[in-house]
Amino acid sequence: MASESRLPPPLRSLERPYNYVTRALVAGSYPLRGIYYFLRHPPFYPLFLGRLLPLSIISTLVYLILFVFAFLPQFAFLAIFHGRAAWLNAVVLVLGEGLVIIQGLFEGFFVDECRVDIFDATLINEDLESLVAPHRLLFPDAPNSVKKLGKPSSVAVYQPWSLVQIIELILCLPLNLIPYFGTPAFIIITGARLGTFAHYRWFELRGLDKKQRKAAIRNRSWEYTWFGTVAMILNLIPVLSFFFLLTSTAGSSLWAAELEHQMRQPVEAPRQTPEQDQDEPPPPYVDDPV
């Protein structure tokens, strides 16, 4: 998106940082927009209440156990180096440990199918049923997008379960031991990794191979970093983490729908000015001496 039209000439030197900040803010807004979108679509509610509410209760117990038995020892250790800021680092450290446990035990096996349904239903709501139809059975007469969804006719994955990702998350946990900068670094680094999976399902629907997916991720790596960072912050919120998984999925689908519509827009040919139109015959000659 060109910034020449947005910045006056005296500020053109700020064009590049302005562009980066704008792209980050737009991408980072999609997980938040997904919350509003999810809440405005009641047909999505059964997907959370029926499938993930029990898992939310289990995750609450996991966090409760961690905070009872692990928080105080870690806080006492971090207080030696961090002083008053130790409580924040200890909280994020415990939340990160809980996230590792929850991802390893539940997320990849019980949540992904629900996230695929949210992603596909959002695309249908955004007039992209033609993108979903080749990959799953749809019921066109159903009253809403969720009930339109039938059984997938091809592999349907929102975010592939990855042992490497869990190991990376574990290896990044010690970053919280670094005063002041450690916790933001942990969130951004793990969020950048999380963001690369934001459009895995979209790439799947478009039929991209591994090389094409990597190229697409590389072209939007800055945007995926900030989408993933905001989504990571939401994932660290106890009790609501599974709910925010679904809302971030809705946000990623909204983003994909916007990009898909942009790709489908016809490219308009440049209009010719009268001086450029070579095929138009000259005006007839009129001998009018007056």
Side-chain angles (χ1 to χ4, degrees), residues 1-280:
M1 183 181 299
S3 57
E4 289 84 357
S5 61
R6 297 190 176 190
L7 294 179
L11 300 179
R12 290 287 170 83
S13 60
L14 301 176
E15 175 185 312
R16 188 178 180 87
Y18 172 83
N19 189 29
Y20 273 103
V21 171
T22 302
R23 288 160 53 196
L25 291 175
V26 171
S29 72
Y30 280 103
L32 304 177
R33 291 163 65 178
I35 299 173
Y36 178 69
Y37 186 88
F38 190 97
L39 294 176
R40 286 184 60 245
H41 289 79
F44 288 174
Y45 296 175
L47 294 175
F48 173 72
L49 297 175
R51 303 186 192 183
L52 298 188
L53 186 58
L55 295 181
S56 297
I57 296 173
I58 295 175
S59 70
T60 302
L61 294 176
V62 170
Y63 283 118
L64 180 62
I65 292 171
L66 285 174
F67 272 99
V68 169
F69 295 101
F71 175 75
L72 288 178
Q74 292 176 128
F75 171 75
F77 176 76
L78 292 173
I80 301 174
F81 306 99
H82 295 216
R84 294 181 179 180
W87 69 270
L88 176 61
N89 296 72
V91 167
V92 175
L93 184 59
V94 172
L95 292 176
E97 293 163 351
L99 186 62
V100 170
I101 296 172
I102 292 168
Q103 280 192 345
L105 293 179
F106 308 119
E107 192 171 311
F109 302 102
F110 300 104
V111 183
D112 199 74
E113 179 182 352
C114 190
R115 300 181 80 181
V116 169
D117 289 347
I118 291 289
F119 193 93
D120 291 356
T122 302
L123 290 179
I124 292 173
N125 287 338
E126 299 300 310
D127 298 323
L128 288 171
E129 187 170 326
S130 60
L131 184 63
V132 180
H135 299 274
R136 69 186 306 165
L137 176 66
L138 296 179
F139 302 104
D141 297 328
N144 59 65
S145 59
V146 174
K147 292 188 176 181
K148 281 185 179 182
L149 299 175
K151 185 177 180 181
S153 56
S154 60
V155 177
V157 178
Y158 177 80
Q159 178 178 326
W161 189 86
S162 172
L163 179 61
V164 174
Q165 183 183 357
I166 295 176
I167 293 175
E168 288 178 350
L169 186 58
I170 294 173
L171 293 177
C172 288
L173 282 174
L175 287 173
N176 291 284
L177 302 177
I178 302 174
Y180 305 110
F181 302 105
T183 295
F186 168 76
I187 293 174
I188 293 174
I189 292 173
T190 54
R193 173 68 175 175
L194 180 66
T196 60
F197 294 104
H199 285 155
Y200 187 92
R201 174 62 176 166
W202 181 43
F203 299 152
E204 198 174 59
L205 294 174
R206 291 174 56 202
L208 302 189
D209 58 28
K210 187 175 182 180
K211 184 177 180 180
Q212 291 170 323
R213 288 199 305 267
K214 287 184 175 181
I217 292 171
R218 185 168 56 251
N219 289 337
R220 296 191 185 91
S221 59
W222 177 252
E223 287 86 348
Y224 287 138
T225 295
W226 294 104
F227 177 93
T229 297
V230 176
M232 184 67 182
I233 293 172
L234 295 175
N235 288 351
L236 290 174
I237 299 176
V239 183
L240 296 176
S241 59
F242 279 112
F243 172 73
F244 288 134
L245 278 177
L246 298 190
T247 60
S248 294
T249 301
S252 71
S253 187
L254 283 174
W255 186 12
E258 183 174 325
L259 295 173
E260 185 71 23
H261 284 304
Q262 291 174 4
M263 292 170 55
R264 295 187 178 194
Q265 286 179 353
V267 180
E268 295 184 0
R271 296 181 179 179
Q272 288 185 327
T273 61
E275 292 79 6
Q276 294 174 323
D277 195 347
Q278 303 296 330
D279 296 330
E280 184 178 351

